[in-house]
Amino acid sequence: MREDSNVEAVPSDLEERAAALVNPASGIANDFLNHFNEVLLLIENLPEMVDELLGWAPRTYREYFTHSELPGSKLTLEIYDSICDELRTEFEARVDAVNLMCLESIDVIKSRRDGKGEIEAEDVEEYCEQISLKLRSALSDLADLVNNGYAAPVEAPQSMADRMIPAN
């Protein structure tokens, strides 16, 4: 059986882990970007995942963390509410733009379904390649804002990957 002092240590640990969700440069949690990575993955894996793609719906940062089961989601929202209005407004505008891009993509893909609701890979392959590149670029810009706020990135993600994974 646990002693009371051990039980009290768990919430503190959860709060620390929750605070770690939030990037200190911006006050915004990277985990939210997984919502967009999900739709990108679905688009890249069409037509196999068409039903999942058509079921995707946009979410705001607040909606995402209000419904999240991640420890510290409430704290994440409290921190978000405390960041400067200018950064939050820019972040939300970029999120809205990515959400719109995703919804428009889903509409285009939906329009390519045949009478049985099926999609042939060759009917969407070129479009999915193009929109995937655009989504990746928009998500990269959004991730840059989340990871750095208004500060210039210390190191570009590709440079970091190149440095960490040496070429053979």
Side-chain angles (χ1 to χ4, degrees):
M1 185 162 196
R2 291 184 174 176
E3 295 179 25
D4 288 342
S5 62
N6 289 340
V7 173
E8 291 177 8
V10 172
S12 173
D13 181 50
L14 289 177
E15 288 175 11
E16 288 174 21
R17 289 189 341 210
L21 288 173
V22 175
N23 191 298
S26 65
I28 302 171
N30 267 321
D31 190 74
F32 174 69
L33 300 179
N34 290 334
H35 179 61
F36 297 112
N37 289 327
E38 173 188 2
V39 72
L40 179 60
L41 175 74
L42 295 172
I43 289 171
E44 290 177 337
N45 286 287
L46 284 177
E48 289 82 15
M49 303 187 88
V50 68
D51 292 333
E52 291 87 348
L53 177 65
L54 298 179
W56 185 88
R59 284 189 175 178
T60 65
Y61 188 84
R62 282 182 185 17
E63 289 168 338
Y64 182 85
F65 283 105
T66 297
H67 297 99
S68 174
E69 294 182 17
L70 287 171
S73 291
K74 182 179 177 188
L75 180 59
T76 298
L77 288 172
E78 290 173 14
I79 293 169
Y80 183 69
D81 288 337
S82 73
I83 66 174
C84 79
D85 290 339
E86 183 182 359
L87 179 63
R88 187 174 40 254
T89 300
E90 182 172 345
F91 173 73
E92 289 175 356
R94 290 186 189 190
V95 166
D96 289 345
V98 174
N99 272 327
L100 182 60
M101 190 183 305
C102 292
L103 288 173
E104 288 173 349
S105 301
I106 291 169
D107 285 344
V108 167
I109 292 165
K110 192 186 300 186
S111 73
R112 307 247 172 116
R113 294 171 87 182
D114 64 21
K116 296 179 184 176
E118 302 291 323
I119 293 179
E120 295 296 325
E122 56 273 356
D123 292 341
V124 293
E125 183 177 15
E126 184 177 332
Y127 176 77
C128 289
E129 286 176 12
Q130 292 171 0
I131 197 61
S132 293
L133 291 173
K134 290 178 183 176
L135 277 171
R136 283 194 183 283
S137 177
L139 286 174
S140 178
D141 291 344
L142 191 55
D144 184 49
L145 183 65
V146 170
N147 291 325
N148 303 296
Y150 288 126
V154 176
E155 183 176 20
Q158 187 60 52
S159 297
M160 183 184 300
D162 292 344
R163 181 177 48 80
M164 295 177 74
I165 305 169
N168 289 335

